[in-house]
């Protein structure tokens, strides 16, 4: 049996897994299709802006550095272009959801193929693909409108290239992964070091590490230089505005954040839930005796761990149960699951005889049971999050489109669906998409007086409330997007009538 049958079988399981996290919870969102994070609408804004302007733009004609995943923005721009200007938001959302599902299935296929290249075992290959397919939160993330499936699949492709000694192919996939999520740069550095160590053993038959190193790192250097060049051109800073707005902590915070990820986040993903799945890593003690074999077996584990640590180094998972934080570490999961399959296979080889397949079978059984136990709740959580975002952020954007003159500047704390549906030029008061707000640029604020502000009362307290009035308010029940139920309410605020012809200066405390 070649690789085609294992891949076909694993993809079939993947389709079943996608169905299992889509259909059971549909009743939680009786309204239109949508996304479970407002960030997904921000990504769509950049995709639409890229198509219209030729560069990443949050507001028409103004380059911005708020997009942390330029490659995903390119994909979304292509979808906007294919569907045309008259495409409804629901058609756009449907195309994005379908694209994410296809990318997830591609990840299942690549995980299967990668594991076969490492183990030469069809059963291990099917098991690895099945683990990725049965990881219910990972499958649900493919519907989220975010870059999770794209990044995870590119990381798998990069490791597959290195395992096969197709250095340039692997390096190119890793460079594209860095364009999908910047943490992938850490994966490239760690895997490059692993390859160099594997190739530097003495012996006339050993390959010089210089050429592979150039082929692996070269594409990432070129992509990184272009990325930094764009950021400098657009904002004068070498890194995206999101880095300066969201990054916190450092190496001293890493142990606590890693503990949070291992104890409160990954256990929601089969087969990590029972804790038994991690036992498969014991197999790496017997995974290979030669440096070559050891490196080949370890590359998926090293890649997954590198992405996880790189993310936790810069981002604090402050709300572990929320998908908002889980999605940041999910791209590491396919590589970690492949590593579990390789480790279980190595244990089986060590056992030999009738017990050879037992470790892999037990690992798959853990995943299957975990998927059966979590699919319905994961599905319901996904669709309920979508309803929450539709009933607040999307509703706000649609109200503004009807009640505010085109071209009027507005301000928003959640600046995705509000901007996308209103199509009004928007100041992101958090500073992710208008970095001038991060810099407290007084000239920028004075040059862009806004007619309305869309704010979360839980985040902002108006010190000059007597000068303001609430024109509209949106609320959603059973709020699950985050663990803070107060974030279920947002309000459209504007200056009170009769304050004169000039602008009103209103002060707020809260988020900043």
């Amino acid at each position: 049996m070649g690789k085609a049958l294992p891949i076909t079988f694993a993809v079939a399981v993947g389709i079943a897994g996608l169905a299992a996290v889509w259909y059971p919870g549909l009743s939680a969102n009786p309204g239109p299709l949508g996304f479970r994070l407002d960030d997904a609408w921000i990504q769509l804004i950049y995709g639409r802006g890229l198509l219209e302007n030729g560069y990443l733009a949050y507001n028409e004609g103004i380059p911005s550095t708020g997009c942390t995943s330029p490659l995903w923005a390119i994909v979304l721009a292509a979808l906007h272009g294919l569907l045309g200007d008259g495409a409804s938001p629901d058609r756009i959302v449907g195309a994005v959801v379908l694209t994410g599902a296809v990318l997830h299935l591609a990840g299942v296929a690549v995980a299967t193929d990668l594991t076969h290249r490492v183990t030469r075992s069809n059963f291990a290959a099917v098991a690895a693909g099945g683990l990725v397919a049965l990881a219910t939160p990972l499958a649900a993330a493919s519907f989220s409108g975010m870059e999770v499936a794209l990044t995870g699949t590119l990381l798998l492709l990069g490791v597959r290239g290195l395992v096969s000694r197709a250095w340039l192919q692997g390096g190119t996939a890793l460079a594209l992964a860095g364009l999908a999520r910047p943490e992938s740069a850490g994966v490239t550095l760690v895997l490059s070091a692993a390859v160099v160590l594997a190739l530097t053993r003495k012996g006339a038959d050993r390959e010089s590490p210089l050429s592979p190193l150039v082929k692996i790192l070269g594409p990432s250097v070129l992509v990184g230089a272009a990325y930094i060049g764009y950021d400098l051109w657009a904002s004068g800073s070498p890194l995206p505005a999101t880095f300066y707005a969201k990054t916190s902590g450092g190496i001293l915070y890493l142990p606590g954040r890693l503990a949070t990820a291992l104890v409160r986040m990954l256990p929601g993903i089969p087969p990590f839930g029972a804790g038994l799945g991690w036992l498969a890593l014991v197999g790496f003690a017997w995974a290979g005796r030669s440096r070559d074999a050891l490196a080949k077996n370890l590359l998926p584990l090293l890649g997954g761990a590198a992405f996880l640590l790189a993310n936790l180094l810069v981002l604090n998972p402050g709300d572990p149960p929320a998908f908002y934080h889980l999605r940041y570490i999910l791209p590491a999961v396919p590589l970690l699951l492949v590593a579990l399959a390789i480790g279980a296979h190595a244990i089986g080889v060590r056992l030999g005889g009738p017990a050879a397949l037992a470790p892999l079978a037990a690992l798959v059984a853990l995943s299957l049971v975990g998927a059966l136990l979590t699919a319905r709740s994961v599905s319901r959580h996904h669709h309920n999050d979508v309803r929450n975002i539709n009933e607040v952020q999307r509703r706000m954007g649609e109200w503004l489109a009807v009640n505010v003159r085109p071209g009027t500047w507005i301000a928003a704390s959640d600046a995705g669906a509000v901007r996308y549906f209103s199509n009004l030029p928007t100041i992101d008061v958090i500073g992710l998409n208008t970095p001038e707000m991060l810099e407290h640029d007084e000239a920028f604020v004075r040059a862009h007086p806004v007619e309305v502000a869309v704010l979360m009362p839980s985040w902002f307290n108006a010190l000059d409330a007597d000068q303001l009035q609430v024109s509209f308010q949106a609320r959603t029940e059973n709020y699950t997007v985050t663990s803070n139920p107060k974030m279920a309410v947002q309000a459209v605020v504007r200056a009170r009538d009769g304050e004169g012809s000039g602008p009103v200066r209103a002060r707020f405390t809260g988020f900043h």
Side-chain angles (χ1 to χ4, degrees):
M1 179 172 64
K3 288 187 291 186
L5 189 56
I7 289 174
T8 302
F9 183 80
V11 169
V13 176
I15 294 171
L18 289 171
V21 296
W22 179 261
Y23 289 105
L26 269 176
S27 61
N29 176 35
L33 289 174
F35 302 118
R36 64 191 306 185
L37 293 178
D38 189 61
D39 298 51
W41 292 107
I42 294 177
Q43 293 281 19
L44 277 175
I45 293 165
Y46 280 106
R48 185 174 65 184
L50 181 60
L51 186 66
E52 294 172 350
N53 297 277
Y55 49 79
L56 295 169
Y58 177 74
N59 287 308
E60 179 68 25
I62 305 174
S64 176
T65 63
C67 180
T68 319
S69 182
L71 188 61
W72 186 234
I74 292 171
V75 172
L76 298 179
L79 292 178
H80 275 93
L82 287 172
L83 294 176
D85 292 338
S88 68
D90 290 343
R91 286 190 64 195
I92 296 289
V93 173
V96 174
V97 168
L98 180 60
T99 300
V102 170
L103 286 168
H104 175 73
L105 294 177
V108 171
V110 179
T112 306
D113 182 57
L114 168 59
T115 307
H116 189 274
R117 289 169 188 256
V118 173
T119 64
R120 299 300 173 188
S121 164
N122 286 322
F123 187 61
V126 170
L131 293 182
V132 176
L134 294 171
T136 45
L138 185 66
S142 67
F143 303 135
S144 69
M146 302 303 293
E147 67 279 356
V148 174
L150 175 65
T151 309
T153 299
L154 286 170
L155 290 173
L156 287 167
L157 284 168
V159 173
R160 186 184 71 168
L162 302 191
V163 163
S164 306
R165 290 178 171 251
W167 309 123
L168 184 58
Q169 181 186 97
T172 301
L174 290 174
L176 291 174
L179 205 57
R181 277 303 307 177
E183 301 94 319
S184 302
V187 179
T188 304
L189 292 174
V190 168
L191 296 188
S192 297
V195 168
V196 168
L197 289 174
L199 295 176
T200 51
R201 197 179 69 172
K202 294 181 179 179
D205 60 331
R206 309 307 298 173
E207 182 180 355
S208 168
L210 182 58
S211 177
L213 187 61
V214 170
K215 292 176 180 177
I216 296 170
L217 288 179
S220 288
V221 170
L222 293 174
V223 167
Y227 197 4
I228 292 172
Y230 171 80
D231 288 340
L232 288 170
W233 170 73
S235 68
S237 299
L239 298 175
T242 45
F243 174 83
Y244 301 106
K246 292 186 176 183
T247 300
S248 63
I251 191 68
L252 295 179
Y253 294 86
L254 186 57
R257 293 177 181 182
L258 180 60
T260 297
L262 294 178
V263 175
R264 300 188 63 189
M265 299 173 82
L266 287 176
I269 307 170
F272 300 117
L276 298 176
W278 292 108
L279 294 177
L281 297 182
V282 173
F284 284 95
W286 308 293
R289 297 179 181 273
S290 71
R291 189 178 297 189
D292 256 358
L294 187 59
K296 182 181 289 189
N297 282 282
L298 279 174
L299 285 180
L301 178 60
L302 289 174
F307 187 96
L308 181 64
L309 293 174
N311 176 264
L312 295 173
L313 186 64
V314 296
L315 293 174
N316 177 31
D319 189 3
F323 177 74
Y324 179 88
H325 287 288
L326 180 64
R327 50 94 179 224
Y328 285 121
I329 68 170
L330 281 176
V333 168
L335 283 174
L336 293 176
L337 293 175
V338 167
L340 292 186
I342 293 170
H345 170 75
I347 295 174
V349 171
R350 181 77 171 182
L351 292 174
L357 298 181
L360 273 170
L363 191 62
V364 172
L366 277 175
S367 281
L368 182 58
V369 171
L372 291 173
L373 291 175
T374 60
R376 179 173 290 276
S377 62
V378 167
S379 177
R380 188 162 189 84
H381 194 173
H382 169 84
H383 290 292
N384 196 72
D385 287 352
V386 171
R387 179 184 59 78
N388 292 156
I389 297 295
N390 281 344
E391 290 179 352
V392 178
Q393 286 88 340
R394 178 171 178 168
R395 189 181 177 197
M396 285 288 189
E398 292 172 338
W399 185 89
L400 291 168
V402 174
N403 292 279
V404 177
R405 298 184 311 276
T408 300
W409 279 84
I410 65 170
S413 53
D414 264 0
V418 165
R419 167 78 177 94
Y420 190 87
F421 284 95
S422 72
N423 210 24
L424 297 170
T426 303
I427 292 176
D428 176 359
V429 297
I430 306 301
L432 300 178
N433 303 289
T434 46
E436 295 86 354
M437 297 301 290
L438 284 176
E439 301 160 3
H440 306 286
D441 188 335
E442 179 72 13
F444 176 81
V445 173
R446 288 186 176 277
H448 298 85
V450 301
E451 181 170 312
V452 300
V454 183
L455 302 174
M456 283 188 209
S458 63
W459 280 16
F460 295 92
N461 177 46
L463 298 179
D464 303 300
D466 58 324
Q467 299 187 75
L468 304 173
Q469 64 182 8
V470 174
S471 298
F472 181 70
Q473 191 174 82
R475 177 188 298 271
T476 182
E477 301 300 325
N478 187 26
Y479 181 77
T480 56
V481 178
T482 74
S483 299
N484 182 2
K486 293 181 179 179
M487 293 173 64
V489 181
Q490 292 199 27
V492 174
V493 179
R494 64 176 62 190
R496 286 191 183 277
D497 296 333
E499 291 292 337
S501 58
V504 170
R505 181 65 177 255
R507 298 169 299 154
F508 294 86
T509 59
F511 190 86
H512 285 300

